[in-house]
Amino acid sequence: MEFEGYVSRIVYQNSENGYSVIALELTGQAAEEAGEEQVAVGTFPGIEKGDFIKITGEWVKHSSYGMQIKASSFSRAVPADIEAIKKYLSSGAIKGIGMKMAERIVEKFGEDSLRVIEEEPATLAKVKGISDKKAAEIAQAAAEKKNLRDAMMFLQQYGISLNMAVKIYNTYELEIYDLMRNNPYKLATDIEGIGFKTADAIAERAGISKNSEFRIKAGIIYVLKQAGGSGHTYLPKEVLKNAAAEMLEVSDEEIEKNLMDLQISRQLISKNVRQPGGTEVTQVYETMLYYMELNVADRLLSLSLEDSSGAGEAERLLADFERSCGMSLDDEQKNAVVTAVTHGLTLITGGPGTGKTTTINALLYCFERLDISVSLAAPTGRAARRMKEASGHEAQTLHRLLEVSGNPEGGGVRFMRDDENPLEADAIIVDETSMVDIYLMNALLKAIVPGTRLILVGDKDQLPSVGPGNVLKDIIAARVFPVVYLKTIFRQAAQSDIIVNAHKINKGEIVEPRTGSKDFLFVHRDDADRVIAATITLVKDKLPAYVNADIRDIQVLTPMRKGVLGVEKLNIALQQALNPPAPGKAEKETAFGVFREGDKVMQVKNDYDKEWEILNMFGVPAKKGIGVFNGDLGIVKSLNHYAEEAEIEFDEGRTAIYSYKEFEELELAYAVTIHKAQGSEYPAVVLPILTGPRPLMNRNLLYTAVTRAKSCVTVVGSLASFQDMIRNTLEDRRYSGLKDRITESVGGYI
């Protein structure tokens, strides 16, 4: 259907993507049939009160707000008659023109009024009350509206959606014309949501050659960025060249030439590194990641100071700690504490049940009596909360320790703690360090001055960080800094099949079901539907009472996203069973699935600018902050269809508001990948296991999954597949060069 009329009010408008709810004063036949003012929803970039528009759309019935016009497209129209022109100008559509001035302009120029404003603005000075300066201001306001309108039409010829066109125009304004005709690949660098493939499709429409240097360079950088998304900080030159040549369908010679040009312009950096055995590999980096690794290496070395004078006092305090707690530390734990007291940088690593938490508590006891102030931190909110519960000391996420802030100049995240405003603690203890990527480690080290003790604690055999780098493993592998390995499984931990079996898995020893086990259970099922049915029964009916936990705290973990037992299929089944549709329960269908009030969800990207607040018992904000991070779990508390917003409550009662357009940052979390569960601990974990891609069905992934459970692990599916995972040592190779940067930098500190 076609509708036309004036925008009488703007009820809601998202300035970034143009999504709006407007009140439309209809004209013509539609007004006679439906009444003059109606609500319309859709993407209306740059729309303002008073605009005269034509809409293609349909009537839809909103569950709360009744009949609305849902627009599929729109265009601005030029009012045709004198009364319509007068009404348009007097509406405030053009800044600087009010009702009386609109009447005088129309009286002077009649049906030619709009043309005069756009093409002969100086002539407006003939109207009473309009000076030359005022005429120029009116002309500028009209030109700005016309520029946006023309730009939207121009961009749409390249197949760009209105939402994306608004982002592009807001970034480049009038530069878009040259950019689109010459180098649309810049869009992939500057505009979030446009990747190389989208830019490549636009470039093809613009007639840009497949062999264009812009295309080849953008493609090479795209391959490296994709590698970063898979955890790599660099790619070997041959791997990069082969991947780029295959994607771009150009010759090796053209890749080589443009790769050289990118190095000359310092957009990429390559380093030749000799590997064990004498072979040499050329590491190719995005410039920022190379210097980030180099900076981390240099700062680690600057912290690595030693003062053995405090060793005796530390040993005396450890004896006091043992007496006061009624426990005995083993030699490895004592060595860890003494090393941390006498060194600027210490790494403590060990598997579950080896006493990492007790070691941290002993260290805190010593630091407190040595009058050394300490900050505790971990990569995730859940890990920080476990650290606080286990130690009795305040702990926080690394992002909050570093005082995360949205970057007012754009470009992602900014931390208030840095070189110029360093952390003030004398010692910093970081737990779950295996999860820390190169970005976060770089930010942390920038905020620590030499002389501060840094203690990095973690399990080197856990999965590496989701983000780029292999930080903990690389630092240990460099063999430059003091590392203490905790190996003893303590008596209480040895009574847990979770811990005993986790160590067996890590060593490659086959785990068999044990009759009578209270915390490591097998439920044998031979096909996907039966596995899913058993998983639902466990989560819904069996495990909450068994481990005395809320149903939402029982976590299903799986190696993969796709497939018969992947996250996507499991979440649909679990949502239907645990939070089905019900009268009065709002839900929203999106491109990312159905979200329903009461759903368990996870944040899947870092949003450093997302505001949150914690409400007190009276519903008044008691605390406010910013930043919601990849892996944070929450509950959909409410959906407001009129405002197109959802209220999400995360751990610790942090409540944030999401527009429906931001649902791309969330996904259902009844089941999550094992990677996403890093750093978290759950009362009970369910592992549905049948078959899957061999690179994912490996020992490292299984070990990480099992160690996420506090009270109970239940494997549902095939025992043979479970045991095959233990045998499979195949892991995705992660290219990270921090170890090389450390060993290269050591010479400068000798």
Side-chain angles (χ1 to χ4, degrees):
M1 294 180 64
E2 302 289 334
F3 306 87
E4 65 177 40
Y6 294 91
V7 179
S8 55
R9 285 181 297 120
I10 296 178
V11 180
Y12 168 80
Q13 187 172 52
N14 184 319
S15 59
E16 288 189 4
N17 57 37
Y19 180 83
S20 308
V21 179
I22 63 174
L24 193 64
E25 190 177 322
L26 295 174
T27 59
Q29 185 67 30
E32 294 176 13
E33 295 175 355
E36 286 194 356
E37 189 171 90
Q38 297 294 331
V39 171
V41 297
T43 301
F44 302 108
I47 202 165
E48 295 179 2
K49 179 183 175 182
D51 280 353
F52 185 71
I53 63 174
K54 292 184 178 180
I55 290 176
T56 300
E58 60 182 349
W59 288 106
V60 295
K61 186 172 184 179
H62 191 283
S63 57
S64 301
Y65 305 110
M67 298 302 294
Q68 300 177 338
I69 301 168
K70 184 176 181 180
S72 56
S73 65
F74 91 107
S75 62
R76 289 175 176 82
V78 178
D81 58 65
I82 287 178
E83 282 305 311
I85 292 170
K86 187 187 297 183
K87 191 170 185 179
Y88 170 71
L89 292 176
S90 63
S91 69
I94 297 177
K95 186 178 178 181
I97 300 179
M99 185 175 294
K100 291 190 178 299
M101 190 173 291
E103 291 176 352
R104 291 198 295 269
I105 290 172
V106 173
E107 184 179 340
K108 178 72 175 177
F109 300 109
E111 294 180 359
D112 211 23
S113 297
L114 296 178
R115 187 196 63 78
V116 168
I117 291 171
E118 287 189 359
E119 298 177 12
E120 301 176 26
T123 312
L124 290 173
K126 295 179 179 179
V127 176
K128 182 181 178 182
I130 299 181
S131 64
D132 289 340
K133 181 180 178 183
K134 184 70 173 177
E137 290 173 353
I138 291 171
Q140 183 177 351
E144 288 172 357
K145 290 178 71 69
K146 185 176 185 299
N147 289 341
L148 175 60
R149 184 168 65 246
D150 293 346
M152 294 301 103
M153 293 175 64
F154 172 74
L155 291 170
Q156 285 176 69
Q157 70 179 305
Y158 294 101
I160 297 172
S161 69
L162 280 173
N163 281 2
M164 195 56 70
V166 174
K167 283 187 178 182
I168 294 170
Y169 181 78
N170 288 342
T171 302
Y172 302 111
E173 295 185 345
L174 296 182
E175 294 177 15
I176 61 168
Y177 299 100
D178 284 341
L179 181 138
M180 295 299 294
R181 293 180 182 117
N182 297 316
N183 183 19
Y185 294 100
K186 198 170 188 301
L187 297 173
T189 304
D190 298 344
I191 307 291
E192 184 177 356
I194 295 186
F196 171 81
K197 292 183 179 178
T198 301
D200 204 28
I202 293 168
E204 186 176 5
R205 290 190 188 97
I208 291 175
S209 165
K210 181 182 287 189
N211 302 94
S212 161
E213 66 175 46
F214 290 127
R215 179 175 186 266
I216 297 173
K217 288 176 182 175
I220 292 170
I221 292 171
Y222 171 76
V223 170
L224 273 177
K225 286 187 181 297
Q226 289 294 101
S230 298
H232 307 292
T233 58
Y234 76 86
L235 284 179
K237 183 177 179 181
E238 291 307 311
V239 172
L240 172 61
K241 285 174 61 177
N242 291 339
E246 182 179 352
M247 182 187 77
L248 296 169
E249 297 178 337
V250 297
S251 69
D252 183 78
E253 291 76 15
E254 288 172 300
I255 296 292
E256 182 71 46
K257 175 189 177 300
N258 284 280
L259 187 54
M260 182 65 71
D261 289 345
L262 286 167
Q263 292 174 51
I264 291 171
S265 64
R266 304 295 286 178
Q267 290 175 265
L268 302 181
I269 286 180
S270 68
K271 292 286 292 184
N272 294 326
V273 176
R274 192 166 296 281
Q275 301 292 298
T279 59
E280 193 172 84
V281 63
T282 301
Q283 302 171 340
V284 183
Y285 285 86
E286 283 190 86
T287 299
M288 179 186 70
L289 278 172
Y290 171 76
Y291 283 111
M292 206 168 274
E293 280 194 346
L294 191 62
N295 185 62
V296 167
D298 287 344
R299 287 178 183 269
L300 287 170
L301 287 162
S302 72
L303 290 177
S304 189
L305 309 173
E306 182 179 357
D307 180 2
S308 58
S309 62
E313 181 67 4
E315 290 169 355
R316 185 187 68 77
L317 289 171
L318 279 173
D320 291 345
F321 173 78
E322 288 178 310
R323 281 192 297 271
S324 66
C325 297
M327 65 170 63
S328 295
L329 302 177
D330 73 358
D331 291 342
E332 294 156 355
Q333 290 175 302
K334 292 177 182 177
N335 181 31
V337 173
V338 173
T339 302
V341 169
T342 57
H343 289 76
L345 175 63
T346 303
L347 292 98
I348 303 172
T349 184
T354 57
K356 294 192 296 295
T357 297
T358 301
T359 304
I360 290 173
N361 288 339
L363 191 50
L364 288 169
Y365 181 93
C366 294
F367 279 156
E368 187 175 337
R369 281 148 186 81
L370 292 169
D371 199 26
I372 294 172
S373 62
V374 186
S375 289
L376 303 183
T380 68
R382 287 193 161 222
R385 189 162 66 251
R386 283 195 294 118
M387 201 178 186
K388 178 180 178 180
E389 290 167 355
S391 68
H393 287 67
E394 188 62 38
Q396 55 193 320
T397 65
L398 284 167
H399 285 90
R400 295 202 177 94
L401 176 73
L402 297 172
E403 299 176 18
V404 67
S405 150
N407 191 342
E409 298 175 0
V413 64
R414 179 186 174 207
F415 294 107
M416 302 306 291
R417 294 290 184 173
D418 56 16
D419 305 80
E420 298 179 1
N421 183 29
L423 295 165
E424 295 163 6
D426 300 319
I428 296 162
I429 303 175
V430 180
D431 199 7
E432 296 283 1
T433 308
S434 63
M435 292 183 64
V436 178
D437 64 22
I438 195 68
Y439 295 123
L440 195 50
M441 182 57 72
N442 182 59
L444 173 64
L445 293 174
K446 284 172 69 174
I448 299 176
V449 296
T452 303
R453 292 173 176 84
L454 176 62
I455 300 94
L456 301 176
V457 184
D459 184 348
K460 67 179 180 62
D461 295 319
Q462 294 279 358
L463 289 170
S465 57
V466 175
N470 209 352
V471 172
L472 181 62
K473 278 189 178 179
D474 276 1
I475 297 173
I476 292 173
R479 298 187 177 184
V480 171
F481 310 109
V483 181
V484 180
Y485 297 88
L486 303 181
K487 300 171 186 173
T488 303
I489 303 176
F490 288 89
R491 185 173 62 184
Q492 185 176 355
Q495 296 172 358
S496 163
D497 283 339
I498 293 175
I499 290 174
V500 170
N501 288 340
H503 283 275
K504 284 184 175 181
I505 291 167
N506 199 31
K507 293 175 184 176
E509 298 174 11
I510 296 303
V511 175
E512 298 283 356
R514 186 174 77 82
T515 303
S517 177
K518 295 180 180 178
D519 62 357
F520 206 104
L521 313 174
F522 285 84
V523 177
H524 299 275
R525 295 291 184 270
D526 55 9
D527 69 77
D529 290 340
R530 295 184 69 211
V531 169
I532 293 172
T535 298
I536 290 170
T537 300
L538 285 163
V539 174
K540 186 178 181 181
D541 302 323
K542 304 291 186 182
L543 289 173
Y546 186 70
V547 297
N548 191 28
D550 188 279
I551 193 170
R552 290 167 177 162
D553 292 327
I554 312 301
Q555 189 60 58
V556 178
L557 301 181
T558 179
M560 64 213 87
R561 293 195 57 81
K562 307 285 185 181
V564 292
L565 291 179
V567 163
E568 294 174 4
K569 185 169 182 180
L570 284 168
N571 268 322
I572 292 171
L574 287 162
Q575 181 192 45
Q576 184 63 30
L578 303 178
N579 189 32
K585 185 187 290 184
E587 63 178 52
K588 172 65 177 176
E589 185 171 354
T590 75
F592 319 105
V594 174
F595 290 92
R596 189 174 294 135
E597 288 177 347
D599 273 338
K600 181 179 178 180
V601 294
M602 176 182 278
Q603 177 81 8
V604 294
K605 62 183 287 190
N606 289 333
D607 188 338
Y608 301 105
D609 298 317
K610 175 61 67 180
E611 297 178 354
W612 54 261
E613 57 187 23
I614 299 174
L615 304 180
N616 63 19
M617 60 185 295
F618 304 106
V620 176
K623 186 177 181 181
K624 294 185 177 183
I626 62 169
V628 180
F629 305 110
N630 191 352
D632 283 357
L633 288 173
I635 300 295
V636 179
K637 301 298 289 185
S638 66
L639 295 167
N640 185 330
H641 291 318
Y642 187 71
E644 300 276 330
E645 290 178 343
E647 180 185 22
I648 312 294
E649 183 179 315
F650 291 97
D651 291 338
E652 302 172 330
R654 293 176 295 126
T655 300
I657 303 299
Y658 284 69
S659 74
Y660 286 175
K661 297 292 183 180
E662 293 176 305
F663 274 179
E664 63 184 15
E665 297 184 10
L666 300 168
E667 63 181 31
L668 293 175
Y670 299 101
V672 302
T673 62
I674 296 167
H675 258 110
K676 288 289 188 184
Q678 285 177 267
S680 295
E681 185 179 73
Y682 311 97
V685 162
V686 180
L687 299 176
I689 294 175
L690 274 180
T691 59
R694 187 161 174 76
L696 287 178
M697 305 291 284
N698 65 51
R699 180 189 301 173
N700 188 223
L701 213 67
L702 183 60
Y703 172 71
T704 299
V706 167
T707 55
R708 298 308 91 206
K710 182 177 183 180
S711 301
C712 184
V713 169
T714 306
V715 179
V716 185
S718 165
L719 176 61
S721 293
F722 172 82
Q723 293 176 338
D724 282 345
M725 288 184 75
I726 298 174
R727 298 185 188 96
N728 181 14
T729 58
L730 178 66
E731 296 177 33
D732 286 339
R733 172 72 188 274
R734 179 166 285 206
Y735 297 110
S736 60
L738 180 58
K739 170 182 171 288
D740 299 317
R741 304 291 82 77
I742 292 170
T743 53
E744 288 168 0
S745 299
V746 166
Y749 288 84
I750 294 176

